[in-house]
Coordinates of all heavy atoms in Angstrom, one line a residue:
A126 N -6.8 177.5 -17.3 CA -7.4 178.8 -17.0 C -8.6 179.0 -17.8 O -9.6 179.5 -17.3 CB -6.4 179.9 -17.2
S127 N -8.6 178.6 -19.1 CA -9.7 178.8 -19.9 C -10.9 177.9 -19.5 O -12.1 178.3 -19.6 CB -9.4 178.5 -21.4 OG -9.0 177.2 -21.6
A128 N -10.6 176.7 -19.0 CA -11.7 175.8 -18.5 C -12.3 176.4 -17.3 O -13.5 176.3 -17.1 CB -11.1 174.4 -18.2
R129 N -11.5 177.0 -16.4 CA -12.0 177.6 -15.2 C -12.9 178.8 -15.6 O -14.0 179.0 -15.1 CB -10.9 178.1 -14.3 CG -11.4 178.7 -13.0 CD -10.3 179.1 -12.0 NE -9.5 180.1 -12.6 CZ -8.1 180.0 -12.8 NH1 -7.5 178.9 -12.3 NH2 -7.4 180.9 -13.3
D130 N -12.5 179.6 -16.6 CA -13.3 180.8 -17.0 C -14.6 180.3 -17.6 O -15.6 180.9 -17.4 CB -12.5 181.6 -18.0 CG -11.3 182.3 -17.3 OD1 -11.3 182.5 -16.1 OD2 -10.4 182.8 -18.0
A131 N -14.6 179.3 -18.4 CA -15.8 178.7 -19.0 C -16.7 178.2 -18.0 O -17.9 178.4 -18.0 CB -15.4 177.6 -20.0
A132 N -16.2 177.6 -16.9 CA -17.0 177.1 -15.8 C -17.7 178.2 -15.1 O -18.8 178.2 -14.7 CB -16.2 176.2 -14.9
R133 N -16.9 179.3 -14.9 CA -17.4 180.5 -14.2 C -18.5 181.1 -15.0 O -19.5 181.6 -14.5 CB -16.3 181.5 -13.9 CG -15.5 181.1 -12.8 CD -14.5 182.1 -12.4 NE -13.7 181.7 -11.2 CZ -12.4 182.0 -11.0 NH1 -11.8 182.8 -11.9 NH2 -11.8 181.6 -9.9
T134 N -18.4 181.2 -16.3 CA -19.4 181.7 -17.2 C -20.7 180.9 -17.1 O -21.8 181.5 -17.0 CB -19.0 181.7 -18.7 OG1 -17.8 182.5 -18.8 CG2 -20.0 182.3 -19.6
I135 N -20.6 179.6 -17.1 CA -21.8 178.7 -16.9 C -22.4 178.9 -15.5 O -23.6 179.0 -15.4 CB -21.4 177.2 -17.1 CG1 -21.0 177.0 -18.6 CG2 -22.5 176.3 -16.7 CD1 -20.4 175.6 -18.9
A136 N -21.6 179.1 -14.5 CA -22.1 179.3 -13.2 C -22.9 180.6 -13.1 O -23.9 180.6 -12.5 CB -20.9 179.3 -12.2
S137 N -22.3 181.6 -13.7 CA -23.0 182.9 -13.6 C -24.4 182.9 -14.4 O -25.3 183.6 -14.0 CB -22.1 184.1 -14.1 OG -21.9 183.9 -15.5
A138 N -24.5 182.0 -15.4 CA -25.7 181.9 -16.1 C -26.7 181.1 -15.3 O -27.9 181.3 -15.4 CB -25.5 181.2 -17.4
L139 N -26.3 180.1 -14.6 CA -27.2 179.1 -13.9 C -27.6 179.6 -12.5 O -28.7 179.3 -12.1 CB -26.6 177.7 -13.8 CG -26.6 176.9 -15.1 CD1 -25.9 175.6 -14.9 CD2 -28.0 176.8 -15.6
V140 N -26.8 180.2 -11.8 CA -27.1 180.6 -10.4 C -28.4 181.4 -10.2 O -29.2 181.0 -9.3 CB -25.9 181.3 -9.7 CG1 -26.3 181.9 -8.4 CG2 -24.7 180.3 -9.5
P141 N -28.7 182.4 -11.0 CA -29.9 183.1 -10.8 C -31.2 182.4 -11.3 O -32.3 182.8 -11.0 CB -29.7 184.4 -11.6 CG -28.7 184.1 -12.6 CD -27.8 183.0 -12.0
K142 N -31.0 181.3 -12.0 CA -32.2 180.6 -12.6 C -32.8 179.6 -11.6 O -32.1 179.0 -10.8 CB -31.8 179.9 -13.9 CG -31.4 180.9 -15.0 CD -31.4 180.2 -16.3 CE -31.0 181.2 -17.4 NZ -31.8 182.3 -17.6
V143 N -34.1 179.3 -11.7 CA -34.7 178.2 -11.0 C -35.1 177.2 -12.1 O -35.8 177.5 -13.0 CB -36.0 178.7 -10.3 CG1 -36.7 177.5 -9.6 CG2 -35.6 179.7 -9.2
I144 N -34.5 176.0 -11.9 CA -34.8 174.9 -12.9 C -36.0 174.1 -12.4 O -36.0 173.7 -11.3 CB -33.6 174.0 -13.0 CG1 -32.3 174.8 -13.4 CG2 -33.8 172.8 -14.0 CD1 -32.4 175.5 -14.7
T145 N -37.0 174.0 -13.2 CA -38.3 173.3 -12.9 C -38.2 171.9 -13.4 O -37.9 171.6 -14.5 CB -39.5 174.0 -13.4 OG1 -39.4 175.4 -13.0 CG2 -40.8 173.4 -13.0
V146 N -38.5 170.9 -12.5 CA -38.6 169.5 -12.8 C -40.0 169.0 -12.4 O -40.4 169.3 -11.2 CB -37.5 168.7 -12.1 CG1 -37.6 167.2 -12.4 CG2 -36.1 169.2 -12.5
T147 N -40.7 168.3 -13.3 CA -41.9 167.7 -12.9 C -41.8 166.3 -12.5 O -40.9 165.6 -13.0 CB -43.0 167.8 -14.0 OG1 -42.4 167.1 -15.2 CG2 -43.3 169.2 -14.4
A148 N -42.5 165.8 -11.5 CA -42.4 164.4 -11.0 C -43.8 164.0 -10.4 O -44.5 164.9 -10.0 CB -41.3 164.3 -10.0
K149 N -44.0 162.7 -10.5 CA -45.3 162.2 -9.9 C -45.1 162.2 -8.4 O -44.1 161.7 -7.9 CB -45.6 160.8 -10.4 CG -46.0 160.8 -11.9 CD -46.4 159.4 -12.3 CE -46.8 159.5 -13.8 NZ -47.3 158.2 -14.2
A150 N -46.1 162.7 -7.7 CA -46.0 162.7 -6.2 C -47.4 162.3 -5.6 O -48.4 162.4 -6.2 CB -45.7 164.1 -5.8
G151 N -47.3 161.8 -4.3 CA -48.4 161.5 -3.6 C -49.0 162.7 -2.9 O -48.6 163.8 -3.1
T152 N -50.1 162.5 -2.1 CA -50.8 163.6 -1.5 C -49.9 164.3 -0.4 O -50.2 165.4 -0.1 CB -52.1 163.1 -0.8 OG1 -51.7 162.0 0.1 CG2 -53.0 162.5 -1.8
E153 N -49.0 163.6 0.2 CA -48.1 164.2 1.2 C -46.9 165.0 0.6 O -46.1 165.5 1.4 CB -47.5 163.1 2.1 CG -48.6 162.2 2.7 CD -49.3 162.8 3.9 OE1 -48.6 163.4 4.7 OE2 -50.5 162.7 4.0
G154 N -46.8 165.1 -0.7 CA -45.7 165.8 -1.3 C -44.5 164.9 -1.5 O -43.4 165.3 -1.9
R155 N -44.6 163.6 -1.2 CA -43.5 162.6 -1.4 C -43.5 162.2 -2.8 O -44.6 161.9 -3.3 CB -43.6 161.5 -0.4 CG -43.6 161.8 1.0 CD -42.4 161.7 1.8 NE -41.6 160.6 1.5 CZ -40.2 160.6 1.6 NH1 -39.6 161.7 1.8 NH2 -39.5 159.5 1.3
L156 N -42.4 162.0 -3.4 CA -42.3 161.6 -4.8 C -42.4 160.1 -4.9 O -42.0 159.4 -4.0 CB -41.0 162.1 -5.5 CG -40.8 163.6 -5.5 CD1 -39.5 163.8 -6.3 CD2 -41.9 164.3 -6.2
F157 N -43.0 159.6 -6.0 CA -43.0 158.2 -6.4 C -41.6 158.0 -7.1 O -41.5 158.4 -8.3 CB -44.1 157.8 -7.3 CG -45.5 158.0 -6.7 CD1 -46.5 158.7 -7.4 CD2 -45.8 157.4 -5.5 CE1 -47.7 158.9 -6.8 CE2 -47.1 157.6 -4.9 CZ -48.0 158.3 -5.6
G158 N -40.6 157.6 -6.4 CA -39.3 157.5 -6.9 C -38.5 158.8 -6.5 O -38.8 159.3 -5.4
S159 N -37.7 159.3 -7.3 CA -36.9 160.5 -7.0 C -36.5 161.2 -8.2 O -36.5 160.7 -9.3 CB -35.7 160.1 -6.1 OG -34.8 159.3 -6.9
V160 N -36.0 162.5 -8.0 CA -35.5 163.2 -9.1 C -34.0 163.0 -9.0 O -33.3 163.4 -8.1 CB -35.8 164.7 -9.0 CG1 -35.1 165.6 -10.0 CG2 -37.3 165.0 -9.0
T161 N -33.4 162.4 -10.1 CA -32.0 162.0 -10.1 C -31.1 163.1 -10.7 O -31.7 164.1 -11.3 CB -31.8 160.7 -10.9 OG1 -32.1 161.0 -12.3 CG2 -32.6 159.6 -10.4
H162 N -29.8 163.0 -10.6 CA -28.9 163.9 -11.2 C -29.1 164.0 -12.7 O -29.0 165.0 -13.3 CB -27.5 163.5 -10.9 CG -27.2 163.6 -9.4 ND1 -26.1 163.0 -8.9 CD2 -27.8 164.2 -8.4 CE1 -26.1 163.2 -7.6 NE2 -27.1 163.9 -7.3
A163 N -29.4 162.8 -13.3 CA -29.7 162.8 -14.8 C -30.9 163.7 -15.1 O -31.0 164.4 -16.1 CB -29.9 161.4 -15.3
D164 N -32.0 163.6 -14.3 CA -33.2 164.4 -14.5 C -32.9 165.9 -14.4 O -33.4 166.7 -15.2 CB -34.3 164.1 -13.5 CG -34.7 162.6 -13.5 OD1 -34.8 162.1 -14.7 OD2 -35.1 162.1 -12.5
I165 N -32.0 166.3 -13.5 CA -31.6 167.7 -13.3 C -30.8 168.1 -14.5 O -31.1 169.2 -15.1 CB -30.8 167.9 -12.0 CG1 -31.8 167.6 -10.8 CG2 -30.3 169.3 -11.9 CD1 -31.0 167.5 -9.5
V166 N -29.9 167.3 -15.0 CA -29.1 167.7 -16.1 C -29.9 167.9 -17.4 O -29.8 168.8 -18.2 CB -28.0 166.6 -16.4 CG1 -27.3 166.8 -17.7 CG2 -26.9 166.7 -15.3
D167 N -30.9 167.0 -17.6 CA -31.8 167.1 -18.7 C -32.7 168.3 -18.6 O -32.9 169.0 -19.6 CB -32.8 165.9 -18.8 CG -32.0 164.6 -19.2 OD1 -30.9 164.7 -19.7 OD2 -32.6 163.5 -18.9
A168 N -33.2 168.7 -17.4 CA -34.0 169.9 -17.3 C -33.1 171.1 -17.5 O -33.6 172.1 -18.1 CB -34.6 169.9 -15.9
V169 N -31.9 171.2 -17.1 CA -31.0 172.3 -17.3 C -30.8 172.5 -18.8 O -30.9 173.6 -19.3 CB -29.6 172.1 -16.6 CG1 -28.6 173.1 -17.1 CG2 -29.8 172.2 -15.1
K170 N -30.5 171.4 -19.5 CA -30.3 171.5 -21.0 C -31.6 172.0 -21.7 O -31.5 172.9 -22.5 CB -29.9 170.2 -21.5 CG -29.6 170.2 -23.0 CD -29.1 169.0 -23.6 CE -28.9 169.1 -25.1 NZ -28.6 167.9 -25.7
D171 N -32.8 171.5 -21.3 CA -34.0 171.9 -21.9 C -34.4 173.4 -21.6 O -34.9 174.1 -22.5 CB -35.2 171.0 -21.4 CG -35.1 169.6 -21.9 OD1 -34.3 169.3 -22.9 OD2 -35.8 168.7 -21.3
Q172 N -34.1 173.8 -20.4 CA -34.5 175.2 -20.0 C -33.5 176.3 -20.3 O -33.8 177.4 -20.3 CB -34.9 175.2 -18.6 CG -36.1 174.3 -18.3 CD -36.4 174.1 -16.8 OE1 -36.2 174.9 -16.0 NE2 -36.9 172.9 -16.5
T173 N -32.2 175.9 -20.4 CA -31.1 176.9 -20.6 C -30.3 176.6 -21.8 O -29.5 177.5 -22.2 CB -30.2 177.0 -19.4 OG1 -29.5 175.8 -19.2 CG2 -31.0 177.3 -18.1
G174 N -30.2 175.4 -22.3 CA -29.4 175.1 -23.4 C -28.0 174.7 -23.0 O -27.1 174.4 -23.8
I175 N -27.7 174.7 -21.7 CA -26.4 174.4 -21.1 C -26.3 173.0 -20.8 O -27.1 172.4 -20.2 CB -26.1 175.3 -19.8 CG1 -26.1 176.7 -20.2 CG2 -24.8 174.8 -19.2 CD1 -26.0 177.6 -19.0
E176 N -25.2 172.3 -21.4 CA -25.1 170.9 -21.2 C -24.1 170.6 -20.0 O -23.0 171.2 -20.0 CB -24.5 170.2 -22.4 CG -25.5 170.2 -23.6 CD -25.1 169.3 -24.7 OE1 -24.5 168.2 -24.4 OE2 -25.3 169.7 -25.8
L177 N -24.6 169.8 -19.1 CA -23.8 169.4 -17.9 C -23.7 167.9 -18.0 O -24.4 167.2 -18.7 CB -24.4 169.9 -16.6 CG -24.6 171.3 -16.4 CD1 -25.4 171.6 -15.1 CD2 -23.3 172.1 -16.3
D178 N -22.8 167.3 -17.2 CA -22.7 165.9 -17.0 C -23.3 165.6 -15.7 O -23.0 166.3 -14.7 CB -21.2 165.5 -17.1 CG -21.0 164.0 -17.1 OD1 -21.4 163.3 -16.1 OD2 -20.5 163.4 -18.1
R179 N -24.0 164.5 -15.6 CA -24.6 164.1 -14.3 C -23.6 163.9 -13.2 O -23.9 164.1 -12.0 CB -25.5 162.9 -14.5 CG -24.8 161.6 -14.8 CD -25.7 160.4 -15.0 NE -25.0 159.3 -15.5 CZ -24.2 158.5 -14.7 NH1 -24.1 158.7 -13.4 NH2 -23.6 157.5 -15.3
R180 N -22.4 163.5 -13.5 CA -21.4 163.4 -12.5 C -20.9 164.7 -11.9 O -20.2 164.7 -10.9 CB -20.2 162.6 -13.1 CG -20.6 161.1 -13.5 CD -19.4 160.4 -14.1 NE -19.0 161.1 -15.3 CZ -19.1 160.6 -16.5 NH1 -19.7 159.4 -16.7 NH2 -18.7 161.2 -17.6
Q181 N -21.3 165.8 -12.6 CA -20.9 167.1 -12.0 C -21.8 167.6 -11.0 O -21.6 168.6 -10.3 CB -20.8 168.1 -13.2 CG -19.7 167.8 -14.2 CD -19.8 168.7 -15.4 OE1 -20.9 169.0 -15.9 NE2 -18.6 169.2 -15.9
I182 N -23.0 166.9 -10.8 CA -24.0 167.3 -9.8 C -23.7 166.5 -8.5 O -23.6 165.3 -8.5 CB -25.4 167.0 -10.3 CG1 -25.6 167.6 -11.6 CG2 -26.4 167.4 -9.2 CD1 -25.6 169.1 -11.6
D183 N -23.6 167.2 -7.3 CA -23.4 166.6 -6.1 C -24.7 166.5 -5.2 O -25.5 167.4 -5.4 CB -22.3 167.3 -5.3 CG -21.0 167.4 -6.0 OD1 -20.6 166.4 -6.7 OD2 -20.3 168.4 -5.9
G184 N -24.7 165.6 -4.3 CA -25.9 165.5 -3.4 C -26.7 164.3 -3.6 O -26.5 163.5 -4.6
D185 N -27.7 164.1 -2.8 CA -28.6 163.0 -2.8 C -29.7 163.3 -3.8 O -30.1 164.4 -4.1 CB -29.2 162.7 -1.5 CG -28.1 162.2 -0.5 OD1 -27.2 161.6 -0.9 OD2 -28.3 162.6 0.7
P186 N -30.4 162.2 -4.4 CA -31.5 162.4 -5.2 C -32.6 163.1 -4.4 O -32.7 162.9 -3.2 CB -32.0 161.0 -5.6 CG -30.7 160.2 -5.5 CD -30.0 160.8 -4.3
I187 N -33.4 163.9 -5.1 CA -34.5 164.6 -4.4 C -35.8 163.7 -4.3 O -36.2 163.1 -5.3 CB -34.8 165.9 -5.3 CG1 -33.6 166.8 -5.3 CG2 -36.0 166.7 -4.7 CD1 -33.7 168.0 -6.3
K188 N -36.4 163.7 -3.1 CA -37.5 162.8 -2.9 C -38.8 163.5 -2.5 O -39.7 162.8 -2.1 CB -37.1 161.8 -1.8 CG -35.9 160.9 -2.3 CD -35.6 159.9 -1.2 CE -34.4 159.1 -1.6 NZ -34.7 157.8 -2.1
S189 N -38.8 164.8 -2.6 CA -40.0 165.6 -2.2 C -40.3 166.8 -3.1 O -39.3 167.3 -3.7 CB -40.0 166.0 -0.7 OG -38.9 166.9 -0.6
L190 N -41.5 167.2 -3.1 CA -41.8 168.4 -3.9 C -41.2 169.7 -3.2 O -40.9 169.6 -2.1 CB -43.4 168.6 -4.0 CG -44.1 167.5 -4.7 CD1 -45.6 167.8 -4.6 CD2 -43.7 167.5 -6.2
G191 N -41.1 170.8 -4.0 CA -40.7 172.0 -3.4 C -39.4 172.4 -4.0 O -38.9 171.9 -5.0
Q192 N -38.8 173.4 -3.4 CA -37.5 174.0 -3.9 C -36.3 173.4 -3.2 O -36.3 173.3 -2.0 CB -37.5 175.5 -3.7 CG -36.6 176.2 -4.6 CD -36.8 177.7 -4.6 OE1 -36.6 178.4 -3.6 NE2 -37.3 178.2 -5.7
H193 N -35.4 173.0 -3.9 CA -34.2 172.3 -3.4 C -32.9 172.9 -4.0 O -33.0 173.5 -5.1 CB -34.2 170.8 -3.7 CG -35.4 170.1 -3.2 ND1 -35.5 169.6 -2.0 CD2 -36.6 169.9 -3.8 CE1 -36.7 169.0 -1.8 NE2 -37.3 169.2 -2.9
S194 N -31.8 172.8 -3.4 CA -30.5 173.3 -3.9 C -29.6 172.1 -4.1 O -29.4 171.3 -3.2 CB -30.0 174.4 -3.0 OG -28.8 174.9 -3.5
V195 N -29.0 172.0 -5.3 CA -28.0 171.0 -5.5 C -26.7 171.7 -5.9 O -26.8 172.9 -6.4 CB -28.4 170.0 -6.6 CG1 -29.6 169.2 -6.2 CG2 -28.6 170.7 -7.9
T196 N -25.6 171.1 -5.7 CA -24.3 171.7 -6.0 C -23.7 171.1 -7.3 O -23.7 169.9 -7.5 CB -23.3 171.5 -4.9 OG1 -23.9 172.1 -3.7 CG2 -22.0 172.2 -5.2
A197 N -23.3 172.0 -8.2 CA -22.6 171.6 -9.4 C -21.2 171.9 -9.3 O -20.8 173.0 -8.9 CB -23.2 172.3 -10.6
S198 N -20.3 171.0 -9.6 CA -18.8 171.2 -9.6 C -18.3 171.0 -11.0 O -18.2 169.9 -11.5 CB -18.2 170.2 -8.6 OG -18.7 170.3 -7.3
L199 N -18.1 172.1 -11.7 CA -17.6 172.0 -13.1 C -16.1 172.0 -13.2 O -15.6 171.6 -14.2 CB -18.2 173.2 -13.8 CG -19.7 173.4 -13.9 CD1 -20.1 174.5 -14.8 CD2 -20.4 172.1 -14.3
H200 N -15.4 172.5 -12.2 CA -14.0 172.6 -12.2 C -13.5 172.6 -10.7 O -14.3 172.8 -9.8 CB -13.6 174.0 -12.8 CG -12.2 174.2 -13.0 ND1 -11.3 174.7 -12.1 CD2 -11.4 174.0 -14.1 CE1 -10.1 174.8 -12.5 NE2 -10.1 174.3 -13.8
A201 N -12.3 172.3 -10.5 CA -11.7 172.2 -9.1 C -12.0 173.5 -8.4 O -12.2 173.5 -7.2 CB -10.3 171.8 -9.2
D202 N -12.0 174.6 -9.1 CA -12.1 175.9 -8.4 C -13.5 176.5 -8.5 O -13.8 177.6 -8.0 CB -11.2 176.9 -9.0 CG -9.7 176.6 -8.8 OD1 -9.4 175.8 -7.8 OD2 -8.9 177.0 -9.6
V203 N -14.4 175.8 -9.2 CA -15.8 176.3 -9.5 C -16.9 175.4 -9.1 O -17.1 174.4 -9.8 CB -15.9 176.7 -11.0 CG1 -17.3 177.4 -11.3 CG2 -14.8 177.6 -11.5
S204 N -17.5 175.7 -8.0 CA -18.7 174.9 -7.5 C -19.8 176.0 -7.2 O -19.4 177.1 -6.7 CB -18.4 174.2 -6.2 OG -17.5 173.1 -6.5
F205 N -21.0 175.7 -7.6 CA -22.1 176.6 -7.4 C -23.4 175.9 -7.2 O -23.6 174.8 -7.6 CB -22.1 177.6 -8.6 CG -22.4 176.9 -9.9 CD1 -23.7 176.7 -10.4 CD2 -21.3 176.4 -10.6 CE1 -23.9 176.1 -11.6 CE2 -21.6 175.7 -11.8 CZ -22.9 175.6 -12.3
P206 N -24.3 176.6 -6.5 CA -25.7 176.0 -6.3 C -26.6 176.1 -7.5 O -26.5 177.1 -8.2 CB -26.2 176.8 -5.1 CG -25.6 178.1 -5.2 CD -24.2 177.9 -5.8
I207 N -27.4 175.1 -7.7 CA -28.4 175.2 -8.8 C -29.7 175.0 -8.0 O -29.9 174.1 -7.2 CB -28.3 174.1 -9.8 CG1 -27.0 174.2 -10.6 CG2 -29.5 174.1 -10.8 CD1 -26.7 173.1 -11.6
T208 N -30.7 175.9 -8.2 CA -32.0 175.8 -7.5 C -32.9 175.0 -8.4 O -33.1 175.3 -9.6 CB -32.5 177.3 -7.3 OG1 -31.6 178.0 -6.5 CG2 -33.9 177.2 -6.5
V209 N -33.5 174.0 -7.8 CA -34.3 173.1 -8.5 C -35.7 173.1 -7.8 O -35.8 172.9 -6.6 CB -33.8 171.6 -8.5 CG1 -34.8 170.7 -9.2 CG2 -32.4 171.5 -9.1
E210 N -36.7 173.4 -8.6 CA -38.1 173.4 -8.1 C -38.8 172.2 -8.6 O -38.9 172.0 -9.9 CB -38.9 174.7 -8.7 CG -40.3 174.8 -8.2 CD -40.5 175.2 -6.8 OE1 -39.6 176.0 -6.3 OE2 -41.5 174.9 -6.2
V211 N -39.2 171.3 -7.7 CA -39.9 170.1 -8.1 C -41.4 170.3 -8.0 O -41.9 170.6 -6.9 CB -39.4 168.9 -7.2 CG1 -40.1 167.6 -7.7 CG2 -37.9 168.7 -7.3
V212 N -42.1 170.1 -9.1 CA -43.6 170.4 -9.1 C -44.3 169.1 -9.5 O -43.7 168.3 -10.2 CB -43.9 171.5 -10.0 CG1 -43.3 172.8 -9.6 CG2 -43.5 171.3 -11.5
P213 N -45.5 168.9 -9.1 CA -46.2 167.7 -9.4 C -46.7 167.7 -10.9 O -46.9 168.7 -11.4 CB -47.4 167.7 -8.5 CG -47.6 169.1 -8.1 CD -46.3 169.7 -8.1
T214 N -46.8 166.5 -11.5 CA -47.2 166.4 -12.9 C -48.7 166.4 -12.9 O -49.4 166.1 -12.0 CB -46.7 165.1 -13.6 OG1 -47.1 164.0 -12.8 CG2 -45.2 165.2 -13.8

């Protein structure tokens, strides 16, 4: 129960935030490479101080600029969206 409550506290802190990740992109907005779960976890830690594990992030790597939503699963009962804004470097 305490792990679930801790996960809910983290969720309530992250859901309203937009996490910004910079990446190299071409003229069409396609990225050179992709934004991985590890990149998202690093950005969350840098911008909020909250540490996540890359295995807690679900979905495919991000391959284009703009705003994207990824799902974080911190507990069996706690899954929530994280908004990621990918901007060019």
Side-chain angles (χ1 to χ4, degrees):
S127 64
R129 184 177 60 235
D130 292 341
R133 285 185 177 148
T134 302
I135 291 170
S137 65
L139 285 179
V140 167
K142 296 196 180 299
V143 176
I144 303 301
T145 304
V146 178
T147 59
K149 292 186 179 185
T152 56
E153 305 282 316
R155 304 260 320 143
L156 300 182
F157 297 127
S159 62
V160 175
T161 65
H162 297 164
D164 297 329
I165 294 168
V166 168
D167 290 343
V169 167
K170 184 176 179 188
D171 291 344
Q172 295 171 35
T173 67
I175 296 171
E176 290 193 40
L177 300 175
D178 188 295
R179 64 181 173 80
R180 294 178 298 250
Q181 295 172 319
I182 306 294
D183 299 325
D185 296 325
I187 299 170
K188 298 181 184 260
S189 62
L190 295 174
Q192 202 167 68
H193 303 272
S194 181
V195 297
T196 302
S198 300
L199 303 186
H200 186 274
D202 297 334
V203 183
S204 293
F205 59 93
I207 297 175
T208 304
V209 179
E210 178 78 29
V211 182
V212 296
T214 54

